Amino acid sequence: MAVNPGVPASNFQIASRIESITPLGEGNIHETFIVRTSGVDSPDYLLQHKNKNVFRDVPSMMENIHKVSSHLKTKVEEKGLDPLRHNLTLIPSKNNSLYFVDEEGEYWAMCLYINDSVTYRIPLNSRQAFSGGCGTGDFHNMLSDFREPLTDILPGFHNLRYRYEQWDSVIASIPSASKSRYSAEIDWIESRREEMLKFRGLFESGEIPLRVAHNDAKLLNILFDKNDDVLCLIDLDTVLYGSVLYDFGDAIRSYTNTGEEDDVNPENVRMRMEYFEAFTRGYIQEASAFLNSVEIESLAFSARYITFEQLLRFLMDYLDGNKYYRIVHPEHNMQRSRAQYALLLDMEKHYGKMVNTVYDIYKQCGK
Ligand code: GN1
Ligand code: MG
């Protein structure tokens, strides 16, 4: 949808004059703009047009973000760090709301743009993967004493039992010619049903506890500084009670991929064990203090679980007529799904090594 960000931008509490508004084209769901202001010392901002088709309760989403970022702000200040750089800062609207609704009923939100920060699609070196692990573990650690209620704005988001229900109804709704045409791809999903639902059982039994998670902890959602240290995790739209394994798994999916998430050529996509090792080392260093033994034992499988979930969701959206994700061309969701499938296959191949790596690192941490 073509939208005009000018009116919403001017409805937030920005002190200085707006100089330019330019699109930032990374997200699969929302539209994001960078709002530059005049004056050497005046900050810039990120403006987002929220996708209300995916996020049906934007007010509750913004309230969740507000609660979590306020908690993180206190933690960051306790460490003596600058919360304007080490945390996401929401900018209220002119009528003191966490969002602005335009004349067409579209929702907008704004946060501070953090200067001298970098995001990556693929890590440049192991040091970045290690830092990412520390940053993600630290994020979970800071939230481990968060006790406020959060509205579950995306019920079943990383719940594969729920995703299989959605999948079954999509498969039941498509013509049999499509089922034959995509039988190989459909088999990717069917052949893993049992193992994925068995793993799901660990969440359902409570052996894997409910904890606050980011739920979209891919590499692109981590801000690094120029020294490859993590500033903070961004894009908090999906912060919900869930499992830290969703974040660990999504991080491994994105950090270890040698290609793009939607690589045109699945041959480019492999799992890089070196980055798995580095991320895991950083993560365990920060998070071993509060993780239970089932969580530790499940770290390696969580990467397969989340990678599988992503390829299922991309494929399901493709078969369902591309209603959910933003796409650049009609085959885009299939291309994403194929690339993620290539990654899953390589993870399955390396799985034994992944399990041993987690075990060795955990032992070295003296736990
Ligand atoms: C979507 O829009 P973005 O990139 O923040 C999706 C995530 C996926 C991700 C894959 C609400 O996030 O679940 O992991 O694409 N967000 C939602 O890149 O579905
Ligand atoms: Mg997101």
Side-chain angles (χ1 to χ4, degrees), residues 216 221 235 238:
D216 190 10
N221 281 338
D235 187 9
T238 49

Side-chain angles (χ1 to χ4, degrees), residues 27-30 48 55 157 214-216 218 221 234-238:
N28 293 333
I29 306 288
H30 305 305
Q48 260 191 342
F55 290 93
F157 194 55
H214 182 288
N215 290 304
D216 190 10
K218 60 181 176 182
N221 281 338
I234 52 169
D235 187 9
L236 299 182
D237 294 358
T238 49

Side-chain angles (χ1 to χ4, degrees), residues 321-365:
N322 301 314
K323 297 173 189 148
Y324 186 90
Y325 294 104
R326 292 171 66 195
I327 52 169
V328 174
H329 56 82
E331 293 300 307
H332 202 174
N333 273 319
M334 180 55 98
Q335 184 181 315
R336 287 168 172 149
S337 192
R338 282 190 202 291
Q340 295 294 297
Y341 182 62
L343 183 62
L344 178 68
L345 285 180
D346 213 35
M347 282 181 178
E348 290 173 344
K349 216 161 83 191
H350 285 100
Y351 184 59
K353 266 191 270 170
M354 290 161 72
V355 171
N356 291 339
T357 302
V358 170
Y359 180 76
D360 290 345
I361 293 172
Y362 190 61
K363 237 178 22 194
Q364 288 158 18
C365 277

Side-chain angles (χ1 to χ4, degrees), residues 220-279:
L220 260 178
N221 281 338
I222 306 233
L223 278 193
F224 290 86
D225 67 13
K226 296 279 159 65
N227 303 319
D228 288 342
D229 286 321
V230 169
L231 287 166
C232 60
L233 272 67
I234 52 169
D235 187 9
L236 299 182
D237 294 358
T238 49
V239 282
L240 296 168
Y241 282 96
S243 163
V244 293
L245 293 173
Y246 301 153
D247 291 351
F248 182 86
D250 216 0
I252 296 305
R253 174 185 78 86
S254 54
Y255 284 74
T256 66
N257 187 349
T258 53
E260 296 286 341
E261 179 178 80
D262 60 349
D263 214 291
V264 214
N265 182 4
E267 299 268 297
N268 295 337
V269 175
R270 292 283 174 273
M271 187 210 178
R272 201 180 304 221
M273 269 307 283
E274 184 197 344
Y275 292 172
F276 176 78
E277 209 267 350
F279 185 94

